[in-house]
Amino acid sequence: MTDQRYPWHASTWQRLQQSRQRRHHALLLRGKQGIGKLDFANTLAQALLCQTPDQAGYACGHCVSCSWFLQHSHPDYRLLTPEQELPDATDSAPATKKPVRKSSQISVAQIRELAGFLELSSHQQDGVRIVVIHPADALNQTSANALLKMLEEPPGDVMFILVTSHPQRLLPTIMSRCQQLEMPAPSEQEALAWLGQQGVEQGDYWLAYSGGSPLNAADLAHAGNERVQLIATRLAQGHRLDPFTSAGEFSAIGMEEVMTALQKWLYDLLAVSLNAAVRYHVRDIAALQALSKRVDLSMLLAFQRQVDDARRSANHPLNNELQLEHLLLQYSKLFSS
Ligand SMILES: [Zn+2]
C-alpha cells in the first residue's frame, strides 16, 4: 500500500513543511474520528525517514528506507496501538508465548519496550526514528506517566507522533509536551468528491450513515453494505421482528457494529417520530415513517437510554447473543401490532 493522502489535509501538510526548521520532538495530531489522522501520521513518518523526499516533502516511495517502510519492517519506526499488546518480556520462549491479546489500552509494558528502541541509534546515517502512538487516548495512567518521562528527555533524533480523536482524555502534562496540530475534517463536498474517486456509489448515503466520516463511509460502502442492509431490514420489521433469529445474525456481525447501528436506527426513528430530519438512514425513510406510526414514544426513549448503557459494555465478551436477544425482544415490543 502506498501512502494515503487526503486533499483536506494538503494545507496542513504544507504548513508543517514550512515549520520544519523548528524540529518537533512530539507532535499531537487531533481532530474528528475517521478523517485520516493516522494515515497523515504514517505519511509524515515515511517522509521523515525517506532518503530522497520530493519537493513537497513527501516520501519518494522507492528508496531503501521507503521499501522498508512499505513492507512494515522499518527498524527506525514503531507503531504503538492497543492491538499490539506484547507478550510478557520475561517470557521469551516461543512455545510458552502467550497469545497476543486484544486490549483497549496501551500498556506500560508497551511503553517500557520502547526504552530499548530509544537506546539504539538510527539505522541510517543522520536519520531519525519515529514512534507513532494511536490512539493516544488509549494510554492509561501508568503508561502515560511512563511515556511522559520519555517525552521529557527524548533522544535528539526521535520524534513522537501522537494521534487522538479525544484530546480531552490525555494527561495535560502529555499535551503540554507536544506541538499540537488540529487536523481539519473535509467539507461535505470534499468528502463526497473523494468518495466518488474511491468508486463509492451512493456516497451521500454512506457519508450520512457514517456521521460525516469519509473513511468509515468508504470502508462500509466497500465491505459493509450487506451487513448494514441486514440490520436495517430486520429493525424495519418492528413488532414482527424475531429476536432469536436476528440475535444470531447480529452476533455474527459483531457487537460493536450492531450496537452502533442500533443507536443510529433509534436516533432516526425518534427523529421521524418527532417530524425531524433523518440523519443516518436516508434510504430507509419510508420504513422509519411506517414504524413511527406504531411506536410508543416514551418506551422508545427509555429503550434508547438502555441501549446507550449496553453500548458502554459492548466489548464485554460474555453472552453477546443473549444480550442481543434481550434487547431485540424489547425493541419488538416498542411497536403496536
Ligand atoms: Zn524514499
Side-chain angles (χ1 to χ4, degrees), residues 251-311:
S251 69
I253 290 172
M255 206 57 177
E256 177 77 15
E257 185 171 334
V258 167
M259 294 304 279
T260 308
L262 183 57
Q263 280 180 314
K264 288 174 176 173
W265 182 265
L266 296 173
Y267 179 99
D268 280 344
L269 180 56
L270 185 64
V272 171
S273 304
L274 300 172
N275 290 317
V278 161
R279 182 165 170 189
Y280 303 106
H281 296 86
V282 287
R283 65 183 183 193
D284 301 298
I285 292 176
L288 287 161
Q289 277 170 342
L291 282 180
S292 73
K293 295 193 176 82
R294 295 170 175 274
V295 77
D296 181 312
L297 209 52
S298 64
M299 279 170 71
L300 173 59
L301 286 165
F303 183 64
Q304 209 176 19
R305 277 195 300 276
Q306 199 189 332
V307 170
D308 291 345
D309 288 344
R311 173 71 206 276

Side-chain angles (χ1 to χ4, degrees), residues 38 79-87 98-107 110 133-135 138 315:
L38 178 60
L79 171 65
L80 289 195
T81 69
E83 284 77 21
Q84 288 184 323
E85 196 161 323
L86 294 160
K98 290 178 203 154
V100 176
R101 201 152 42 89
K102 200 166 178 165
S103 157
S104 61
Q105 296 190 341
I106 294 172
S107 70
Q110 286 176 278
I133 302 182
H134 173 266
N315 290 324

Side-chain angles (χ1 to χ4, degrees), residues 44-152:
L44 180 60
Q46 188 187 345
L48 291 168
L49 293 165
C50 174
Q51 294 165 344
T52 53
D54 67 17
Q55 280 198 325
Y58 288 107
C60 72
H62 47 72
C63 68
V64 176
S65 181
C66 281
S67 74
W68 283 340
F69 191 89
L70 296 171
Q71 289 161 30
H72 306 287
S73 60
H74 204 299
D76 298 326
Y77 168 85
R78 286 285 185 282
L79 171 65
L80 289 195
T81 69
E83 284 77 21
Q84 288 184 323
E85 196 161 323
L86 294 160
D88 197 325
T90 56
D91 183 17
S92 53
T96 57
K97 208 164 107 177
K98 290 178 203 154
V100 176
R101 201 152 42 89
K102 200 166 178 165
S103 157
S104 61
Q105 296 190 341
I106 294 172
S107 70
V108 70
Q110 286 176 278
I111 301 294
R112 289 203 185 117
E113 194 268 345
L114 215 49
F117 174 72
L118 297 183
E119 276 166 20
L120 302 170
S121 56
S122 165
H123 289 72
Q124 301 184 83
Q125 207 173 359
D126 301 321
V128 293
R129 288 172 294 153
I130 314 275
V131 178
V132 173
I133 302 182
H134 173 266
D137 47 276
L139 293 160
N140 58 34
Q141 185 83 23
T142 324
S143 52
N145 278 319
L147 176 67
L148 188 60
K149 292 210 179 71
M150 295 174 178
L151 291 178
E152 279 164 352

